[in-house]
Amino acid sequence: MCIRDRIQKEDTSLVIRKDEETGQTLLQGLGELHLEIIKDRLSSEFNLNIRLSKMRVAYRESIQGEQTLTLHSNKIINGKPTYANVTLRIKPLTEEEIAAEDITDNESKNTINFSFIKDETVTTHYREFKRRILQQKLSKKKPTEFEEPEENQVTREVLDNPLSSLVIIKNPAKPVEIEKVDDEFGQDPVYSLQSAPFEIFQSIETAIQNGLKRGSLLGYPLMNVRVIVEGGKYVVSRSNPIVFEMLTAQIMQQLLTKCEPQLLEPVVDMEISAPPEYMKDILHDILTNKRGRLIDMLEEVSKFGGNTNMRNILKVVVPLVETIGYSTQVRSITKGEATFSMKFKQFEFVGTSKQAEILENPYNLSLIHISEPTRLLSISYAVFCLKKKNN
């Protein structure tokens, strides 16, 4: 049995896990004292050197401005001509737009639209094309006992979707010739992107999705962004999905740097319970040192009714990064009388001055993945590294 499994078996309240996003090993316990005890045990009982560091916070990026960009590509690859032309427009999503379009199930809250598609038939066929691509990917995994049998799924899809009977899904839009390209490779007609094969549509959408995974500031994923494909051109004999994907990725990279990028940080709803005489000092610390804001302050009531030993509850909103080590700080302020809990709220703009400060020294940042909903009840996290002592 390895050291990790042994110490977790002896202490069931201890959790040791690896963060896939950062590649770091995380030690999770009931508090800072608990982690210090584990550190001493690893050093004394297992002859290991332990290096602890503060937990890191996962930031996000977004944009404030709106930009439109058109790029053209006619490179010669392996001696063959290629052709691609795409116009993209990128803009921030407002809270009203997010609520109106009901995209709350999307964690990043990003949208991609093809504005040049006016025919509902084209939209329906493209949706069926993407459904089949997704079905091919999902068919590679084995169904669990909770999943519906494959025969029932196929039957329902055929009944509910008339396009399911088609063997091949093609773009029903009629080609519209815009111009001609004339060079040493010959003369070919240029068509509007609306009638392009769906494989090209999907390559453009894939490049946009990949572009939204990495922002221009510090490389964090973007959120609350709408990308609109305004149009484009293609040549039947020269265009292919790879060329369009490469061109779209280039457009996304240029657009994201021009749209006034901003850094977002996770904020939490925090409830602090303490005697009334300490509330003034706690609130001053939250508003002055933690960049927090007050939501409400009320008397704590027990589950059986009545006040709980004359304690008050302070409800505030605080950036998650400011809560690191707060359990020690609030105990110092209240002489050990206070308790608190936190719940993830949302991502908010860090502020102009704070963003400039972070960009000057980005290496102080770290990542801990935040999933919704996240509940942290006075639990301390620490990153640790184990090194064998030299004999």
Side-chain angles (χ1 to χ4, degrees), residues 237-250:
S237 60
R238 305 187 183 193
S239 299
N240 61 73
I242 297 178
V243 176
F244 271 89
E245 185 171 349
M246 294 172 58
L247 182 63
T248 305
Q250 184 179 353

Side-chain angles (χ1 to χ4, degrees), residues 38-86:
I38 296 298
K39 175 185 175 181
D40 293 339
R41 285 194 58 196
L42 291 172
S43 178
S44 59
E45 297 181 21
F46 301 100
N47 196 32
L48 297 173
N49 279 333
I50 310 299
R51 186 179 69 247
L52 296 177
S53 63
K54 294 181 179 180
M55 84 169 189
R56 298 181 173 184
V57 175
Y59 289 81
R60 293 292 183 267
E61 295 185 24
S62 188
I63 58 174
Q64 302 179 70
E66 179 177 344
Q67 291 286 336
T68 303
L69 181 62
T70 301
L71 288 185
H72 178 81
S73 175
N74 55 357
K75 298 179 181 179
I76 298 177
I77 301 177
N78 294 331
K80 297 181 179 179
T82 62
Y83 187 96
N85 182 287
V86 178

Side-chain angles (χ1 to χ4, degrees), residues 32-284:
E32 295 181 9
L33 179 60
H34 185 200
L35 298 182
E36 288 295 332
I37 295 174
I38 296 298
K39 175 185 175 181
D40 293 339
R41 285 194 58 196
L42 291 172
S43 178
S44 59
E45 297 181 21
F46 301 100
N47 196 32
L48 297 173
N49 279 333
I50 310 299
R51 186 179 69 247
L52 296 177
S53 63
K54 294 181 179 180
M55 84 169 189
R56 298 181 173 184
V57 175
Y59 289 81
R60 293 292 183 267
E61 295 185 24
S62 188
I63 58 174
Q64 302 179 70
E66 179 177 344
Q67 291 286 336
T68 303
L69 181 62
T70 301
L71 288 185
H72 178 81
S73 175
N74 55 357
K75 298 179 181 179
I76 298 177
I77 301 177
N78 294 331
K80 297 181 179 179
T82 62
Y83 187 96
N85 182 287
V86 178
T87 300
L88 295 184
R89 179 160 60 96
I90 187 170
K91 57 182 292 189
L93 272 173
T94 64
E95 292 296 331
E96 292 75 14
E97 290 175 328
I98 295 175
E101 298 189 21
D102 192 21
I103 56 175
T104 54
D105 57 330
N106 183 0
E107 183 179 353
S108 62
K109 299 180 181 178
N110 298 321
T111 63
I112 302 174
N113 303 111
F114 291 83
S115 64
F116 59 85
I117 300 181
K118 306 297 183 181
D119 190 351
E120 184 62 29
T121 304
V122 177
T123 303
T124 305
H125 279 69
Y126 181 50
R127 189 183 299 115
E128 172 64 16
F129 174 82
K130 292 195 296 182
R131 187 196 65 81
R132 293 191 179 189
I133 296 296
L134 179 60
Q135 187 180 31
Q136 290 177 2
K137 295 179 180 179
L138 296 178
S139 63
K140 297 180 181 180
K141 70 172 186 177
K142 297 181 179 180
T144 64
E145 58 179 343
F146 302 103
E147 293 180 342
E148 187 179 10
E150 185 177 355
E151 308 84 50
N152 296 345
Q153 295 180 9
V154 174
T155 303
R156 180 174 289 105
E157 289 168 358
V158 173
L159 294 177
D160 296 345
N161 189 354
L163 297 179
S164 299
S165 60
L166 298 178
V167 178
I168 300 177
I169 300 295
K170 296 183 178 181
N171 190 344
K174 295 181 179 180
V176 178
E177 183 177 342
I178 301 176
E179 56 189 21
K180 290 184 181 295
V181 57
D182 191 359
D183 53 24
E184 64 271 20
F185 296 97
Q187 188 180 66
D188 295 304
V190 179
Y191 299 103
S192 171
L193 191 61
Q194 181 175 352
S195 59
F198 285 148
E199 288 80 4
I200 291 181
F201 285 13
Q202 189 184 34
S203 67
I204 294 175
E205 192 169 349
T206 300
I208 294 174
Q209 292 172 348
N210 292 336
L212 293 174
K213 292 179 181 179
R214 186 175 180 84
S216 60
L217 291 177
L218 296 173
Y220 292 105
L222 285 103
M223 62 184 303
N224 302 335
V225 176
R226 181 194 296 277
V227 181
I228 304 171
V229 185
E230 296 285 359
K233 306 173 186 177
Y234 77 101
V235 175
V236 175
S237 60
R238 305 187 183 193
S239 299
N240 61 73
I242 297 178
V243 176
F244 271 89
E245 185 171 349
M246 294 172 58
L247 182 63
T248 305
Q250 184 179 353
I251 297 175
M252 286 293 298
Q253 186 176 9
Q254 296 185 25
L255 280 176
L256 291 176
T257 59
K258 298 178 180 179
C259 292
E260 303 176 42
Q262 61 179 7
L263 194 64
L264 308 180
E265 64 179 348
V267 298
V268 296
D269 286 320
M270 178 184 289
E271 293 187 3
I272 307 170
S273 173
E277 59 267 23
Y278 299 113
M279 281 297 166
K280 182 179 179 180
D281 295 334
I282 295 175
L283 183 59
H284 180 268

